[in-house]
Amino acid sequence: MQKINSMRAGLFLLLLMSAFSSTAQQNPFITDMYTADPSAHVWSDGRLYVYASHDIAPPRGCDLMDQYHVYSTDDMINWKDHGEILRASQVPWGRKDGGFMWAPDCVFRKGTYYFYFPHPSGDEWNKTWKIGVATSSSPAGDFKVQGYLPDLESMIDPCVFIDDDGLAYFYYGGGGVCKGGKLMDNMMEIDGTMQPMEGLVDFHEATWVHKKDGVYYLSYSDNNDKDGKHNQMRYATSDSPLGPWTYRGIYMDPTDSYTNHGSIVEYKGQWYAFYHNSALSHHDWLRSICVDKLFYNDDGTIRKVVQTTGK
């Protein structure tokens, strides 16, 4: 009888462990390829979608990045790979040697999905960045390049925010500069001029804007380089989508990667912070996307995100 009870206990433990492993979020949550720069959005079909850049092995800095992929989930546990949606060879105005498909973003407006991506148009890549726009009637396929936003400076990391009134705002930056402006109704041109986002502290890149309880939050990566640790994720708040901004602090400590790039989104009543690390590869330029829960204090400030891997 004791042996039978022991077997039953062992079986129960095995079933419990199996159930836990099938319902627990794992980080990184994409493990079959290297991904970075997660842009997370919830669309009308009730799924959460993540648009990610792709690190190519063997790495050579970050210039080989290409082939954007899209992933989605309806439970934050099981992720569907919708496959590749765009690569440099499909960009008519892009540099002839491809690569340099860095952090993207995507928005939905009036029946169309707009995918924004940085890509150089010449061999002097750092001087020829353009923000390309591809469109589709589907959130995860058949994107066609329509052109690029005209009359912009050579910068990276596009972010587009649709406000509650339907107006669209565009942000980008890099090298310590962050700018924002209003988009025209065609989503392909800036309405007026881009303006500096004032009030940010130690801005580096990776602009992301979200809104909660009537407050606008602008989050970004900083220039931290201390004790072998690099980008921290900081944020600021405003009562206007274009600032001025009030700096609030650091919401994520450095990962084990040389870079970090994040997005913040609410899904099914829970807020999440997406980011990347190098936990799978242990190489700065072979990164993997992760997600952890994000919480707010009663005064609207963000609590420090607890990373569940890559420490």
Side-chain angles (χ1 to χ4, degrees):
M1 180 63 69
Q2 184 176 359
K3 183 177 181 180
I4 292 175
N5 288 337
S6 178
M7 290 175 62
R8 286 176 177 171
L11 179 60
F12 175 77
L13 181 61
L14 182 63
L15 290 172
L16 184 63
M17 291 175 63
S18 176
F20 178 79
S21 64
S22 65
T23 58
Q25 169 67 55
Q26 296 182 356
N27 272 323
F29 62 87
I30 301 300
T31 59
D32 63 334
M33 65 185 297
Y34 294 115
T35 52
D37 310 318
S39 169
H41 293 276
V42 179
W43 301 137
S44 61
D45 63 358
R47 296 181 68 84
L48 183 149
Y49 288 80
V50 175
Y51 299 80
S53 58
H54 171 40
D55 285 345
I56 295 177
R60 191 178 68 204
C62 53
D63 58 333
L64 294 181
M65 293 173 67
D66 209 328
Q67 306 160 24
Y68 295 115
H69 271 241
V70 181
Y71 303 89
S72 74
T73 183
D74 62 1
D75 59 9
M76 298 302 295
I77 299 166
N78 301 291
W79 292 87
K80 178 179 179 180
D81 183 357
H82 295 272
E84 178 186 319
I85 62 166
L86 189 68
R87 61 172 55 197
S89 61
Q90 297 171 299
V91 182
W93 43 265
R95 69 191 293 268
K96 63 181 184 301
D97 293 326
F100 290 95
M101 300 289 269
W102 290 4
D105 196 15
C106 189
V107 294
F108 177 76
R109 192 165 188 261
K110 297 182 178 180
T112 300
Y113 295 89
Y114 295 85
F115 184 73
Y116 296 82
F117 61 95
H119 184 61
S121 59
D123 290 334
E124 291 186 284
W125 57 269
N126 206 34
K127 297 180 179 179
T128 62
W129 286 108
K130 291 179 172 55
I131 305 300
V133 186
T135 61
S136 175
S137 59
S138 165
D142 300 320
F143 279 91
K144 305 297 181 185
V145 177
Q146 304 299 327
Y148 55 84
L149 297 179
D151 304 319
L152 290 180
E153 299 173 59
S154 177
M155 292 197 290
I156 58 173
D157 292 355
C159 168
V160 178
F161 168 74
I162 308 291
D163 207 349
D164 299 333
D165 58 8
L167 294 179
Y169 295 86
F170 172 80
Y171 309 83
Y172 74 154
V177 177
C178 180
K179 291 191 174 183
K182 188 182 296 183
L183 277 168
M184 289 187 179
D185 195 55
N186 63 11
M187 303 295 283
M188 293 285 298
E189 298 174 89
I190 302 299
D191 185 0
T193 59
M194 297 290 289
Q195 61 189 65
M197 296 295 93
E198 299 178 353
L200 307 182
V201 173
D202 199 27
F203 176 87
H204 177 55
E205 59 185 13
T207 308
W208 180 265
V209 174
H210 74 280
K211 188 177 184 180
K212 180 182 184 294
D213 298 332
V215 177
Y216 299 88
Y217 291 74
L218 191 158
S219 51
Y220 58 95
S221 66
D222 69 7
N223 295 286
N224 182 65
D225 186 6
K226 184 178 180 182
D227 300 328
K229 299 291 185 179
H230 303 285
N231 292 159
Q232 302 170 119
M233 301 302 292
R234 300 179 182 242
Y235 76 105
T237 61
S238 177
D239 59 4
S240 165
L242 294 177
W245 300 90
T246 300
Y247 175 68
R248 297 299 185 186
I250 296 166
Y251 78 90
M252 184 179 291
D253 290 330
T255 70
D256 61 351
S257 175
Y258 187 79
T259 67
N260 200 357
H261 191 113
S263 56
I264 297 173
V265 67
E266 183 183 22
Y267 187 52
K268 296 185 177 181
Q270 174 65 57
W271 286 89
Y272 293 93
F274 287 80
Y275 61 101
H276 65 233
N277 64 24
S278 297
L280 293 183
S281 68
H282 305 292
H283 191 292
D284 283 332
W285 303 112
L286 292 175
R287 298 161 293 183
S288 298
I289 55 178
C290 302
V291 59
D292 280 302
K293 291 180 179 179
L294 179 144
F295 298 95
Y296 295 84
N297 296 308
D298 291 340
D299 62 0
T301 55
I302 300 176
R303 300 180 195 173
K304 187 76 69 73
V305 172
V306 177
Q307 299 173 40
T308 59
T309 189
K311 295 181 180 179

